Amino acid sequence: MATGRTHRPATRSRGIPEATVARLPLYLRALTALSERSVPTVSSEELAAAAGVNSAKLRKDFSYLGSYGTRGVGYDVEYLVYQISRELGLTQDWPVVIVGIGNLGAALAGYGGFASRGFRVAALIDADPAMTGKPVAGIPVQHSDDLEKIISEDGVSIGVIATPAGVAQQVCDRLVAAGVTSILNFAPTVLSVPDGVDVRKVDLSIELQILAFHEQRKAGEESSAEEGPEALAEPEPAAAVVAPAPRGTTGTTGRKGPDGDVPAVMPA
Amino acid sequence: MATGRTHRPATRSRGIPEATVARLPLYLRALTALSERSVPTVSSEELAAAAGVNSAKLRKDFSYLGSYGTRGVGYDVEYLVYQISRELGLTQDWPVVIVGIGNLGAALAGYGGFASRGFRVAALIDADPAMTGKPVAGIPVQHSDDLEKIISEDGVSIGVIATPAGVAQQVCDRLVAAGVTSILNFAPTVLSVPDGVDVRKVDLSIELQILAFHEQRKAGEESSAEEGPEALAEPEPAAAVVAPAPRGTTGTTGRKGPDGDVPAVMPA
DNA sequence: CCGTGTGAACGTGTTCACAGCC
DNA sequence: GGCTGTGAACACGTTCACACGG
């Protein structure tokens, strides 16, 4: 998750597994929906279905939080909402800055998911002077010259980077220097940060590529029966034939573009 | 990943681990950058640094693809770019539809990450008649009545959902019925899909909540020495005092918002 | 000699299945 | 009886460390 040293050998200080933490927001969302419908209690089975996980996993997850829940009955919805909120730190207010108010930044600024649940857009920041003062989603954009001031005055510890990839690292550096210790990165770059700073990334093209991988596999699967116990038939037995250069730097005059195709993999 | 039955017991058909697949796009991006700078070869160490992983992991990952790479030298950049592209299915063209052209959908439509790397925005679809025909990022928006026709005519197998949460499931159902088998979901909902359909989700508020969790933990760590062996001091000794209802369905008149705020998790 | 490729050790996460309690 | 809570088994992922080959 974090780029710079996610080490943490085994601090063990009441450690909730990372995988569990990642699911708590899911449970919380499902519970909130139930709460709005005034449902008083849920079983692990029901809640798991609503959250899209299986019930054993859910119970295990909750067991790390403590023994909320009543045997033979289920979980008290309101109580659980509170406990998970507290565990996630949502009972306090988190001011957030969004840097880079282009299409994406504007979309994020207007996104309801911010306003709810303890997150508050403290400021929108952009480097373009033409944007300064312009209200986006009701919040006036501030110039990036004032970044440090904004961060420290509002006590912001969470920053969202929605800038082009080219400037993401320097924006990140400035955020960190100003005191931000958690970063949500939408720019398609690997950010390096010092110890103690968390980075999470959201990357559209990575997600698409993962989908493409599975999609391609589905297409290749068509012929074999789905229950095939040992159906190992590879589409191409000798993959090297198709490849640009079977191996060996030499042979093709030692140069690059080994064969005709040459992917031409240039991103935007 | 996929919501409805990610079962797949152990198909084993030349299985590249899911974790590895998720990193291939990262390697590919780093390699592409090297390729642009005409770097002929990289060592696992260098490439790993560029991709933000450690070298052992990278070598293990590559070993699932085959034995590309030369001992004592490293990997041929062009060759690897090609191999990874092929493995990910990026040597073919993937038409993609984006459904829901609000702020976010528009941002996605304009995102460079689409155009590059074999993905092509085949259509933008929105339910608002006022949007129909309006060009967004150079592509005219089409009305959702034509969704099925668009999907089948263009042979689209990947769909992106950027609608409000309330309609995401029905959009999903229509996409799947029309032949889409991979979905990237930006709406904050759990989608249920039949077997064989992959869903990946990108969820801003979940990411923020995970950051908040770690952020909170950092703050709490301040007082105790970081090696604190048994420093278990809970902030509130008796959590129940603050909690909405220690247990028992009655007590709070079935009210909602335990801590003033009242979630109101409905997104934009 | 250097860096890849990989078995083996280790750690994390998931699932099973059932004891324990309401 | 029903459902939670959890040890134990299992599967997956990561790291180590070194043999192997250019």
Side-chain angles (χ1 to χ4, degrees):
Chain A
M1 266 100 240
T3 308
R5 304 288 83 196
T6 316
H7 213 55
R8 185 151 303 238
T11 314
R12 190 63 54 219
S13 61
R14 178 59 86 93
I16 297 177
E18 194 53 38
T20 295
V21 172
R23 281 188 294 268
L24 291 180
L26 231 51
Y27 301 143
L28 184 54
R29 183 176 288 158
L31 284 164
T32 304
L34 293 171
S35 171
E36 274 160 23
R37 291 168 40 212
S38 302
V39 176
T41 57
V42 258
S43 68
S44 63
E45 203 72 54
E46 293 162 336
L47 184 54
V53 302
N54 72 51
S55 62
K57 200 185 291 190
L58 179 141
R59 287 200 304 278
K60 186 58 108 183
D61 284 341
F62 285 179
S63 79
Y64 295 117
L65 305 183
S67 283
Y68 314 138
T70 310
R71 289 167 201 242
V73 178
Y75 301 91
D76 180 286
V77 171
E78 294 297 326
Y79 187 64
L80 248 193
V81 164
Y82 177 78
Q83 290 300 342
I84 295 179
S85 294
R86 196 175 56 98
E87 198 64 61
L88 286 171
L90 303 180
T91 50
Q92 64 188 278
D93 187 73
W94 295 104
V96 171
V97 296
I98 304 176
V99 185
I101 314 302
N103 266 331
L104 178 61
L108 297 176
Y111 181 63
F114 265 113
S116 66
R117 298 246 133 260
F119 298 100
R120 177 172 54 84
V121 180
L124 306 179
I125 301 177
D126 199 283
D128 181 2
M131 292 288 294
T132 306
K134 244 185 64 182
V136 170
I139 302 167
V141 175
Q142 297 183 259
H143 193 268
S144 50
D145 285 349
D146 300 328
L147 188 146
E148 286 76 9
K149 203 181 71 177
I150 297 162
I151 301 285
S152 62
E153 277 182 6
D154 269 303
V156 174
S157 55
I158 300 178
V160 176
I161 297 179
T163 65
V167 298
Q169 182 64 58
Q170 63 198 68
V171 164
C172 172
D173 292 343
R174 286 182 64 188
L175 287 172
V176 169
V180 165
T181 46
S182 288
I183 289 175
L184 183 51
N185 180 32
F186 285 85
T189 330
V190 176
L191 293 179
S192 52
V193 293
D195 245 53
V197 176
D198 279 316
V199 176
R200 295 190 66 86
K201 64 166 182 302
V202 172
D203 193 316
L204 170 67
S205 68
I206 286 181
E207 299 300 324
L208 281 178
Q209 288 173 40
I210 295 170
L211 285 176
F213 172 85
H214 293 296
E215 198 58 41
Q216 175 184 234
R217 176 147 305 195
K218 283 176 208 164
E221 239 168 47
E222 265 159 31
S223 51
S224 62
E226 52 255 43
E227 279 294 11
E230 291 303 327
L232 249 293
E234 279 289 294
E236 297 100 336
V241 180
V242 190
R247 190 68 51 79
T249 316
T250 51
T252 354
T253 336
R255 270 315 319 137
K256 52 165 57 172
D259 105 318
D261 198 16
V262 184
V265 262
M266 184 56 204
Chain B
M1 267 100 243
T3 308
R5 304 287 85 200
T6 317
H7 214 56
R8 184 149 305 236
T11 313
R12 190 65 55 220
S13 61
R14 177 60 85 93
I16 297 178
E18 193 52 38
T20 295
V21 172
R23 280 187 295 267
L24 291 180
L26 230 52
Y27 301 143
L28 185 54
R29 183 177 288 158
L31 284 164
T32 304
L34 292 171
S35 170
E36 275 160 23
R37 292 169 39 213
S38 302
V39 176
T41 58
V42 258
S43 67
S44 62
E45 203 72 54
E46 293 163 335
L47 184 54
V53 303
N54 72 50
S55 62
K57 200 185 290 190
L58 179 142
R59 287 200 304 278
K60 186 57 110 186
D61 284 342
F62 285 179
S63 79
Y64 295 117
L65 306 183
S67 282
Y68 315 139
T70 311
R71 291 171 199 238
V73 179
Y75 301 91
D76 180 286
V77 171
E78 295 297 326
Y79 186 65
L80 248 193
V81 164
Y82 176 78
Q83 290 300 342
I84 295 178
S85 294
R86 196 176 55 96
E87 198 65 61
L88 286 172
L90 303 179
T91 51
Q92 64 187 277
D93 187 72
W94 294 105
V96 170
V97 296
I98 304 176
V99 186
I101 313 301
N103 266 330
L104 178 61
L108 296 177
Y111 181 64
F114 266 113
S116 67
R117 301 237 131 267
F119 298 100
R120 176 172 54 85
V121 180
L124 306 180
I125 300 176
D126 199 282
D128 181 1
M131 293 288 294
T132 306
K134 245 185 64 181
V136 170
I139 302 166
V141 174
Q142 297 183 259
H143 192 269
S144 49
D145 285 350
D146 301 327
L147 188 145
E148 285 76 9
K149 202 181 71 177
I150 296 163
I151 301 286
S152 62
E153 277 182 5
D154 269 303
V156 174
S157 55
I158 300 179
V160 176
I161 296 179
T163 66
V167 297
Q169 181 64 60
Q170 63 198 66
V171 165
C172 172
D173 292 342
R174 287 182 64 187
L175 286 173
V176 169
V180 165
T181 46
S182 287
I183 289 175
L184 183 51
N185 179 31
F186 285 84
T189 328
V190 175
L191 293 179
S192 52
V193 293
D195 245 52
V197 176
D198 278 316
V199 176
R200 294 191 66 85
K201 65 167 182 298
V202 171
D203 194 316
L204 170 66
S205 68
I206 287 181
E207 299 300 324
L208 281 178
Q209 288 173 38
I210 296 170
L211 285 177
F213 173 84
H214 293 297
E215 199 58 43
Q216 175 184 234
R217 175 147 304 194
K218 284 175 207 163
E221 242 167 45
E222 266 158 29
S223 51
S224 62
E226 51 255 42
E227 279 295 10
E230 290 302 327
L232 247 292
E234 282 286 296
E236 297 98 337
V241 180
V242 191
R247 193 67 51 81
T249 316
T250 51
T252 353
T253 335
R255 280 238 339 103
K256 51 165 58 176
D259 60 311
D261 200 21
V262 182
V265 260
M266 198 51 208

